[in-house]
């Protein structure tokens, strides 16, 4: 195996020669040059990233060109040749050039003559004039020596002159085998083509040697003429290294695994390679890491850096530690990860590697935000300082050194901190806008996903669900192809969550099912994807009153909650567990769990929205127990915090809880005023359960007001009509999310209202509808 040359590169050289000889017609120049350029220059084509499959097109084309000559046929066959025999296409002209290289001597001449494709230097032109040789014609196509084509021709010629005779002969044999598949086609088009035309020496010597030519061919070419099954693929070290770098770049850029087909093809090439680059161990480490194989990834990581440090001393030691820390954190070894990353910081400081140092500090900050219980002692005992100090340091250092990615990331992290701690929304928006400005100015497309994720969260917290959904759609349509897969997964999960709140469970599951299957082969995204699907199904089972199925899903989700569940999903699972306990009537256990979660959040500086949510659950539990007044302080505190932090989706339920308490105290008119004020805004949140609950409270308050009016008075009838309308709207919203228990509750309230108003016929109809809903629910559960 040569270091650079292989039969495919000989084919590219022949194609460049056809172009300079004006064999390629004008109409075909763009296609031919694009094909050559795609295999010579590493470019990120925007159109190639438009789909998950397109990302790997370059690797597929490289492997395909090395393995078979068919890629040349696919490009050249549709085009006619501009010169030569009329009616012949470019594919024939290309093959004719390849088959004229009919001996090892002809191969040497081919590379020697390739210098004629290059533009002459001044000295060479002067020498031609002195020798009386005419200069090239003005209209001749010559390649600039520093152009991509010229550099490729010069390097190919240089690499061929460096080859030993044995290696040159091996290249010749590989070229014969690579070209041989076209023999049948070329024989039809060329009458004088013979059995031994692949080697002119054998063809000419057949008359002298007679039958002995077979023995000579067998000695020279061995089993190659008989399709040896043990033969290797004609791959060069340069091809292997380019494929390795490309695959590693794709895995690190998008966070996905290599497709199985490309992986198998690459392993075939690697097995046929004479020398295995050390970078292949790093690729194996990345693949094992993404597959969730801790022991294998750990082994390959050590193997790669063992090979690397033999040649580069300890200049890469901090990167080995950094990779080790990230690996251990991903597999739950948090203390070991912290120790390794702290050592990374120390080593990077010693080696004055600011890039590695800033990345390590940034990682420590984000790790501390995600796992405060692990880094609790770190901030007080280490020289790194608190999270705020680390963030301020990172932001200033990134600005000074021009590390735009880190600067933008620090601004986004600060915006997240402002939102999660309930500080000024305006300040958070300022940081988001500054981060967005950096991303746009520096064209950092791969970070748009993180930035838009914060925008989605911001609109959610402000209660404008439409803008949140629109931002999700903008990301999926315009930016998902440039972003890491984790960002795409989180945004699509957010879309599915919005659909779930509207009761569109099948559509939400369909969104998740439509994701790229290859990207979901990675361990972490696959775990997140499966658990999010489980949460959607759990919510659906709870609403459909299928408590047995819900408890089965809950048991599976709770088992892995502390191990590999994301913090945001862990809270959702806990809140659904509480809802399941409430629906089972186990209020005491639900209350104990809520108190435990509140104490945990008090100890850890988690998102303030989680605390408000728990306060609302606690107030709702007290209402279920028949003691709503005891939750008055809790509801007021939740409303106060939600208002100060602008947590609009939690402000309206808090106001609804206060109105419900006022109703229980007989203060019906203030309750109606509060509910009428918040209901229009609550519709903007597009949360059917929340809106239904508010309408239910409004129906109760109106019914209370009707009770204060004189019997059979117009006022009494008016309030009872308003109560019925509110209960009807609540029933419709509960129906949209398929909440059977609440539908039955609303239907029972409607029957009661009709009975109080004296309409026994409608009361009986509503009672029958109640029984029908209950019966249908039981049938669905079975």
């Amino acid at each position: 195996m040569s270091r650079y040359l292989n039969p495919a590169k000989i084919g590219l050289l022949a194609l460049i020669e056809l172009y300079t000889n004006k064999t390629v017609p004008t109409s075909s120049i763009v296609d031919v040059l694009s094909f050559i350029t795609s295999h010579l220059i590493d470019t990120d084509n925007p159109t190639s990233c438009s789909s998950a499959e397109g990302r790997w097109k370059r690797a597929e084309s490289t492997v395909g060109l090395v393995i078979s000559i068919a890629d040349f046929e696919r490009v050249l066959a549709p085009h006619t040749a501009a010169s030569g025999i009329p009616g012949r296409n470019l594919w024939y002209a290309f093959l004719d050039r390849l088959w004229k290289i009919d001996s090892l001597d002809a191969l040497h001449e081919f590379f020697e003559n390739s210098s004629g494709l290059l533009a002459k230097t001044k000295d060479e032109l002067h020498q031609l004039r002195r020798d009386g040789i005419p200069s090239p014609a003005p209209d001749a196509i010559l390649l600039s020596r520093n152009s991509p084509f010229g550099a490729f021709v010069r390097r190919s010629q240089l690499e061929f002159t460096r080859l030993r005779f044995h290696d040159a002969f091996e290249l010749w044999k590989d070229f014969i085998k690579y070209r041989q598949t076209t023999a049948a086609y070329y024989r039809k088009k060329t009458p004088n083509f013979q059995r031994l035309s692949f080697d002119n020496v054998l063809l000419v010597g057949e008359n002298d040697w007679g039958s002995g030519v077979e023995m000579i061919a067998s000695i020279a070419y061995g089993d190659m003429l008989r399709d040896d099954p043990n033969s290797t693929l004609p791959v060069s070290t340069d091809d292997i290294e380019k494929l390795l770098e490309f695959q590693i770049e794709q895995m690190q850029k998008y966070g996905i695994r290599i497709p199985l087909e490309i992986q198998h093809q690459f392993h075939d090439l690697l097995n046929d390679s004479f020398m295995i680059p050390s970078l292949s161990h790093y690729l194996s480490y990345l693949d094992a890491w993404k597959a969730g194989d801790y022991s294998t990834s750990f082994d390959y990581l050590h193997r790669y850096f063992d090979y690397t440090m033999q040649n580069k001393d300890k200049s890469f030691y901090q990167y080995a530690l950094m990779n080790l820390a990230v690996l251990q954190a991903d597999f739950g070894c948090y203390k070991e990860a912290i120790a390794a990353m702290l050592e990374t910081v120390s080593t990077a400081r010693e080696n004055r590697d600011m890039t590695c140092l800033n990345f390590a500090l940034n990682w420590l900050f984000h790790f501390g935000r995600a796992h405060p219980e692990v880094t609790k002692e770190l901030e007080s005992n280490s020289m790194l300082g608190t999270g705020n100090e680390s963030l301020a340091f990172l932001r200033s250092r990134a600005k000074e050194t021009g590390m735009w990615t880190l600067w933008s990331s620090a601004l986004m992290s600060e915006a997240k901190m402002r939102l999660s701690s309930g500080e000024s929304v305006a300040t958070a928006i300022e940081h988001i806008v500054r981060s967005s400005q950096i991303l746009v100015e520096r064209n950092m497309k791969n970070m748009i996903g993180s930035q838009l994720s914060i925008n989605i969260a911001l609109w959610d917290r402000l209660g404008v669900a439409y803008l949140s959904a629109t931002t999700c759609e903008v990301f999926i349509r315009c930016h998902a192809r440039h972003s890491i897969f984790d960002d795409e997964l989180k945004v699509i999960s957010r879309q599915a969550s919005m659909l779930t709140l509207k009761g569109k469970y099948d559509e939400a599951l369909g969104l998740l099912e439509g994701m790229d299957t290859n990207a979901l082969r990675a361990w972490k995204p696959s775990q997140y994807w499966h658990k999010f699907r489980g949460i959607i199904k759990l919510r659906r089972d709870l609403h459909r009153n299928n408590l047995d199925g819900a408890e089965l899903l809950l048991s599976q989700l709770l088992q892995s909650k502390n191990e590999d569940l994301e913090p945001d999903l862990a809270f959702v699972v806990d809140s659904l567990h509480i809802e399941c306990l409430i629906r089972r009537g186990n209020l005491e256990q639900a209350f104990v769990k809520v108190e435990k979660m509140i104490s945990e959040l008090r100890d850890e500086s988690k998102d303030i929205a989680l605390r408000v949510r728990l306060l609302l659950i606690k107030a709702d539990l007290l209402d279920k127990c028949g003691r709503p007044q005891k939750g008055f302080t809790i509801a007021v505190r939740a409303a106060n915090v939600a208002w100060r932090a602008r947590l609009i989706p939690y402000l309206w339920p808090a106001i609804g809880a206060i109105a419900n308490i006022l109703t229980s105290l007989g203060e019906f008119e203030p309750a109606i005023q509060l509910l009428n004020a918040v209901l229009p805004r609550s519709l903007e949140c597009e949360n059917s359960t929340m809106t239904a609950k508010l309408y239910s409270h409004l129906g109760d308050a109106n019914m209370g007001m009707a009770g204060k009016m004189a019997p059979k008075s117009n006022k009494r009838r008016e309030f009872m009509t308003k109560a019925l309308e509110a209960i009807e709207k609540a029933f419709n919203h509960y129906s949209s999310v398929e909440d059977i228990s609440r539908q039955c509750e609303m239907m029972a309230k409607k029957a009661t209202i009709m009975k109080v108003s004296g309409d026994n016929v409608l009361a009986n109809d509503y009672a029958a509808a109640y029984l029908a809903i209950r019966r249908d629910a039981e049938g669905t559960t079975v």
Side-chain angles (χ1 to χ4, degrees):
M1 180 190 71
S2 68
R3 199 164 62 108
Y4 181 75
L5 290 174
N6 60 9
K9 287 189 171 66
I10 296 175
L12 291 173
L13 272 174
L15 196 54
I16 291 174
E17 184 179 320
L18 291 180
Y19 164 68
T20 57
N21 292 338
K22 300 183 180 180
T23 307
V24 181
T26 305
S27 59
S28 307
I29 286 178
V30 173
D31 292 338
V32 172
L33 294 188
S34 299
F35 173 75
I36 300 172
T37 305
S38 66
H39 291 282
L40 298 185
I41 303 175
D42 295 334
T43 56
D44 288 332
N45 187 2
T47 58
S48 67
C49 300
S50 58
S51 64
E53 295 80 8
R55 292 172 181 166
W56 300 99
K57 188 176 180 181
R58 200 173 98 201
E60 290 175 350
S61 62
T62 301
V63 173
L65 195 72
V66 169
I67 292 175
S68 169
I69 200 173
D71 279 13
F72 285 103
E73 181 180 8
R74 178 179 52 80
V75 173
L76 301 178
H79 304 286
T80 58
S83 61
I85 303 174
R88 297 293 170 88
N89 58 16
L90 266 180
W91 172 236
Y92 172 79
F94 174 71
L95 289 183
D96 188 55
R97 183 65 191 95
L98 290 187
W99 280 99
K100 284 181 179 177
I101 306 174
D102 53 7
S103 66
L104 182 58
D105 182 59
L107 184 65
H108 278 80
E109 289 181 2
F110 174 74
F111 278 100
E112 287 175 8
N113 295 335
S114 62
S115 58
L117 306 176
L118 302 173
K120 307 298 181 184
T121 62
K122 291 182 179 180
D123 293 338
E124 289 175 338
L125 290 173
H126 182 65
Q127 185 65 36
L128 289 176
R129 284 194 295 269
R130 287 174 55 187
D131 297 340
I133 302 173
S135 301
D139 60 342
I141 299 178
L142 295 174
L143 306 175
S144 171
R145 307 180 78 85
N146 294 325
S147 67
F149 285 8
F152 171 66
V153 170
R154 288 192 297 120
R155 183 174 180 186
S156 298
Q157 191 177 31
L158 176 64
E159 293 290 344
F160 187 77
T161 57
R162 285 178 174 177
L163 290 179
R164 296 173 298 175
F165 177 78
H166 173 73
D167 293 331
F169 184 62
E170 289 297 324
L171 176 62
W172 165 243
K173 290 199 296 184
D174 288 338
F175 176 68
I176 291 175
K177 185 178 178 182
Y178 186 77
R179 181 185 61 182
Q180 192 62 30
T181 56
T182 64
Y185 174 84
Y186 191 67
R187 184 180 291 111
K188 291 179 183 178
K189 301 290 184 180
T190 310
N192 60 352
F193 186 84
Q194 300 181 35
R195 181 173 57 90
L196 296 176
S197 291
F198 71 91
D199 190 334
N200 191 53
V201 175
L202 296 176
L203 185 64
V204 173
E206 187 175 17
N207 296 329
D208 299 331
W209 301 329
S211 59
V213 73
E214 299 288 346
M215 185 179 296
I216 294 173
S218 178
I219 293 171
Y221 295 106
D223 295 329
M224 189 196 75
L225 301 176
R226 296 189 292 272
D227 293 332
D228 180 18
N230 297 321
S231 61
T232 59
L233 294 170
V235 59
S236 65
T237 307
D238 180 68
D239 296 324
I240 294 292
E241 289 177 349
K242 281 184 177 178
L243 283 170
L244 276 172
E245 291 170 0
F246 174 74
Q247 290 176 90
I248 290 172
E249 178 194 8
Q250 293 294 302
M251 292 184 74
Q252 291 180 331
K253 187 176 181 180
Y254 298 111
I256 55 180
R257 295 181 67 189
I258 307 166
L260 286 173
E261 184 180 353
I262 295 178
Q263 199 171 22
H264 294 327
Q265 291 176 347
F266 178 71
H267 283 163
D268 291 340
L269 293 178
L270 200 60
N271 291 334
D272 292 338
S273 173
F274 175 74
M275 182 181 65
I276 298 178
S278 61
L279 205 59
S280 64
H281 299 306
Y282 192 74
L283 179 65
S284 300
Y285 149 69
L286 287 177
D287 191 62
W289 173 29
K290 296 296 179 185
D293 189 346
Y294 175 73
S295 56
T296 304
S297 57
F298 194 80
D299 177 56
Y300 275 116
L301 180 63
H302 277 276
R303 191 178 300 182
Y304 168 69
F305 281 103
D306 284 345
Y307 280 112
T308 304
M309 289 176 62
Q310 286 177 1
N311 302 322
K312 300 181 181 178
D313 298 326
K314 289 194 174 183
S315 59
F316 278 71
Y317 181 57
Q318 63 266 29
Y319 291 99
L321 290 168
M322 184 173 67
N323 277 273
L324 181 62
V326 173
L327 176 67
Q328 289 174 330
D330 250 17
F331 286 100
C333 306
Y334 298 136
K335 291 184 178 179
E336 292 83 354
I338 286 289
M341 195 56 81
L342 288 177
E343 192 174 350
T344 302
V345 171
S346 302
T347 310
R349 279 175 175 167
E350 289 176 11
N351 296 337
R352 297 184 179 180
D353 188 343
M354 295 308 299
T355 303
C356 182
L357 175 62
N358 290 336
F359 177 88
L361 292 174
N362 191 35
W363 185 91
L364 283 169
F365 168 76
H366 286 96
F367 184 83
R369 295 289 297 174
H371 306 283
E373 70 282 356
V374 182
T375 57
K376 192 178 297 183
E377 298 180 1
L378 179 65
E379 293 186 349
S380 57
N381 296 336
S382 99
M383 295 183 293
L384 295 176
T386 63
N388 291 332
E389 292 173 354
S390 298
L391 197 59
F393 170 78
L394 285 171
R395 195 171 65 250
S396 62
R397 289 296 299 166
K399 189 174 181 180
E400 291 171 7
T401 57
M403 299 177 67
W404 312 115
T405 303
L406 182 62
W407 189 10
S408 176
S409 176
L411 287 169
M412 285 190 280
S413 299
E414 190 152 353
K416 284 182 185 177
M417 284 182 60
R418 301 289 184 192
L419 290 175
S420 63
S421 59
E423 297 180 31
S424 170
V425 174
T427 307
I429 292 176
E430 178 190 349
H431 290 306
I432 293 173
V433 171
R434 289 173 62 192
S435 169
S436 180
Q437 180 185 4
I438 296 170
L439 296 183
V440 173
E441 287 178 352
R442 303 295 165 182
N443 196 28
M444 294 188 291
K445 297 180 181 179
N446 59 329
M447 291 192 66
I448 295 289
S450 302
Q451 205 261 348
L452 288 182
S453 295
I454 302 176
N455 278 329
I456 293 166
L458 174 66
W459 295 125
D460 273 341
R461 297 168 83 95
L462 293 177
V464 191
Y466 174 76
L467 286 178
S468 180
T470 304
T471 309
C472 288
E473 195 66 29
V474 167
F475 171 78
I476 295 300
R477 294 192 180 190
C478 305
H479 304 291
R481 60 181 177 270
H482 303 298
S483 300
I484 193 169
F485 179 70
D486 282 351
D487 291 337
E488 182 181 350
L489 177 61
K490 297 289 176 61
V491 172
I492 290 180
S493 299
R494 181 63 200 141
Q495 280 185 311
S497 178
M498 292 178 187
L499 292 171
T500 304
L501 292 178
K502 299 176 186 177
K504 300 178 181 179
Y505 304 110
D506 293 335
E507 194 174 336
L509 292 171
L511 265 181
L512 294 174
E513 296 288 349
M515 299 191 71
D516 179 29
T517 53
N518 177 68
L520 289 172
R521 287 174 55 235
W523 169 59
K524 279 273 186 177
S526 176
Q527 291 288 317
Y528 188 95
W529 184 80
H530 279 98
K531 288 180 172 60
F532 205 90
R533 284 177 71 248
I535 288 172
I536 292 175
K537 291 179 179 179
L538 171 59
R539 198 183 293 274
R540 182 177 61 184
D541 284 346
L542 286 174
H543 286 172
R544 291 178 176 177
N545 217 28
N546 181 15
L547 299 183
D548 293 334
E551 286 177 347
L552 179 62
L553 285 169
L554 264 174
S555 64
Q556 296 173 357
L557 290 168
L558 289 171
Q559 283 175 3
S560 59
K561 182 173 74 74
N562 296 325
E563 297 175 4
D564 54 5
L565 204 61
E566 296 281 339
D568 54 340
L569 292 190
F571 183 83
V572 172
V573 171
D574 282 332
S575 61
L576 290 175
H577 185 206
I578 294 169
E579 184 177 347
C580 183
L581 292 173
I582 293 172
R583 288 177 183 267
R584 279 290 188 193
N586 196 346
L587 300 181
E588 184 178 353
Q589 192 174 345
F591 197 84
V592 170
K593 186 171 181 65
V594 170
E595 288 291 343
K596 181 183 177 184
M597 291 175 66
I598 290 175
S599 63
E600 288 175 355
L601 287 179
R602 192 180 296 118
D603 296 336
E604 302 169 4
S605 55
K606 289 288 184 72
D607 191 346
I608 197 170
L610 304 183
R611 302 182 201 175
V612 177
R613 175 71 180 134
L614 285 175
L615 289 174
L616 292 174
I617 293 174
K618 189 174 180 180
D620 187 52
L621 269 174
L622 291 170
D623 181 42
K624 298 287 183 187
C625 296
R627 298 180 179 179
Q629 294 91 345
K630 293 193 71 173
F632 182 75
T633 306
I634 298 170
V636 170
R637 191 192 312 162
N640 182 35
V641 175
W643 172 246
R644 283 192 291 106
R646 298 299 186 269
L647 296 172
I648 305 303
Y650 299 129
L651 176 62
W652 309 141
I655 299 296
I658 294 172
N660 184 48
I661 294 168
L662 291 174
T663 301
S664 69
L665 294 171
E667 300 292 337
F668 305 117
E669 191 171 354
I672 292 172
Q673 291 174 354
L674 282 174
L675 291 167
N676 283 331
V678 302
L679 264 168
R681 292 293 307 276
S682 74
L683 295 171
E684 294 179 357
C685 298
E686 297 184 5
N687 186 336
S688 296
T689 302
M690 178 185 73
T691 306
K693 198 169 185 178
L694 292 175
Y695 272 121
S696 177
H697 292 330
L698 181 61
D700 294 342
N702 277 303
M703 199 62 187
M705 281 297 293
K708 285 187 171 183
M709 301 298 136
K712 297 183 180 180
S713 63
N714 289 334
K715 280 286 186 182
R716 183 185 180 97
R717 193 177 300 108
E718 179 186 344
F719 280 113
M720 289 184 69
T721 303
K722 289 181 179 179
L724 185 62
E725 289 176 356
I727 297 298
E728 180 66 30
K729 289 179 180 178
F731 176 82
N732 291 335
H733 281 286
Y734 279 131
S735 298
S736 66
V737 294
E738 304 177 18
D739 194 334
I740 303 298
S741 298
R742 300 294 179 267
Q743 287 181 58
C744 292
E745 183 182 336
M746 296 305 107
M747 196 59 72
K749 286 184 177 181
K750 288 164 72 175
T752 304
I753 293 172
M754 288 296 101
K755 191 172 182 179
V756 171
S757 63
D759 194 339
N760 292 325
V761 176
L762 273 178
N764 290 333
D765 289 344
Y766 287 140
Y770 170 90
L771 294 174
I773 293 171
R774 181 70 68 186
R775 187 168 53 253
D776 292 343
E778 290 174 356
T780 305
T781 304
V782 172

